[in-house]
């Protein structure tokens, strides 16, 4: 279900999420964005698939600050993924398929359901049922964004519009968030 896409641009990360919630046979519009912000430390998360895992991360997980000489990638693996794992364990949440996009310090990371952390060399990522279509659109639009022919927001709108056109589990309205 769903589609969330994000793109790195000039040390910022731009997110766009749809509003679909449901299954193959039923659908609804989620009343809140699939993106949430944590201020201490500054993190922005987007989620797809399991909603319970995202609720736990948004409302219970405590993240430490990044140490001065710690790389962003090491921080994502050691602090962020491990804190999510600890929260799941503390709340007896053992089977989760939630995947996340997470922005910190101008970098975009994918946190998979097994809590492995990846960063694409392309500077963009997408999660959810419409992710393949959104990734294709972002790949086609990357040069236009890089050359400033279109904005990251416009590219993300086009990617989610394409995904909603061809995937029954992607539905507007789309919500934009900048990290």
């Amino acid at each position: 279900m769903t589609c969330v896409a994000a793109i790195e641009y000039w040390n910022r990360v731009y997110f766009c999420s749809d509003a679909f919630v449901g299954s193959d046979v039923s659908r609804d519009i989620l009343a809140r964005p699939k993106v949430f912000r944590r201020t201490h430390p500054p993190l922005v998360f987007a989620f797809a698939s399991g909603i319970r895992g995202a609720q736990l991360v948004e409302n219970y997980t405590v993240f430490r600050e990044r140490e001065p000489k710690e790389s962003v990638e090491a921080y994502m693996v050691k602090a962020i993924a491990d804190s999510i794992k600890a929260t799941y364990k503390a709340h007896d949440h053992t089977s989760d398929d939630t995947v996340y996009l997470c922005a910190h310090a101008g970098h975009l990371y994918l946190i998979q359901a097994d809590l492995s952390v990846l960063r694409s060399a392309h500077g963009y990522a997408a999660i959810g049922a419409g992710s393949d279509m959104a990734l294709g659109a972002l790949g086609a639009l990357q040069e236009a964004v890089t050359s400033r022919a279109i904005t990251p927001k416009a590219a993300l709108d086009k990617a989610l519009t394409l995904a909603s056109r061809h995937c029954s589990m992607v539905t507007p309205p789309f919500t934009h968030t900048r990290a």
Side-chain angles (χ1 to χ4, degrees):
M1 74 175 187
T2 207
C3 188
V4 181
I7 189 167
E8 295 176 352
Y9 183 75
W10 287 70
N11 295 322
R12 305 285 295 207
V13 178
Y14 295 78
F15 289 87
C16 186
S17 65
D18 80 329
F20 178 90
V21 63
S23 67
D24 290 339
V25 295
S26 65
R27 71 187 238 170
D28 201 350
I29 302 295
L30 194 61
R32 54 146 302 166
K34 295 174 186 171
V35 179
F36 59 90
R37 188 177 303 274
R38 300 293 300 266
T39 55
H40 298 290
L43 299 161
V44 175
F45 286 90
F47 62 91
S49 296
I51 294 174
R52 177 65 177 156
Q55 291 171 333
L56 293 172
V57 170
E58 182 175 14
N59 295 294
Y60 291 103
T61 306
V62 176
F63 300 105
R64 69 168 171 81
E65 294 284 340
R66 185 164 52 106
E67 296 170 8
K69 293 186 179 183
E70 186 176 28
S71 73
V72 177
E73 185 168 347
Y75 174 69
M76 295 300 298
V77 172
K78 294 190 297 185
I80 304 306
D82 285 354
S83 294
I84 292 170
K85 183 177 180 178
T87 298
Y88 286 178
K89 186 176 181 181
H91 292 273
D92 205 25
H93 187 65
T94 55
S95 62
D96 191 61
D97 59 351
T98 309
V99 293
Y100 301 94
L101 293 177
C102 182
H104 179 65
H107 299 286
L108 174 63
Y109 289 89
L110 167 65
I111 303 173
Q112 299 186 111
D114 68 355
L115 301 177
S116 58
V117 178
L118 307 169
R119 181 165 182 239
S120 172
H122 300 295
Y124 56 84
I127 55 176
S131 64
D132 289 344
M133 287 158 258
L135 287 171
L138 289 174
L141 294 167
Q142 183 177 28
E143 186 177 317
V145 172
T146 303
S147 68
R148 298 185 184 181
I150 64 170
T151 65
K153 182 180 185 269
L156 290 166
D157 265 339
K158 288 179 183 289
L160 264 70
T161 298
L162 175 72
S164 72
R165 183 182 305 160
H166 296 288
C167 180
S168 63
M169 294 182 154
V170 180
T171 302
F174 303 136
T175 303
H176 292 272
T177 305
R178 186 179 72 182

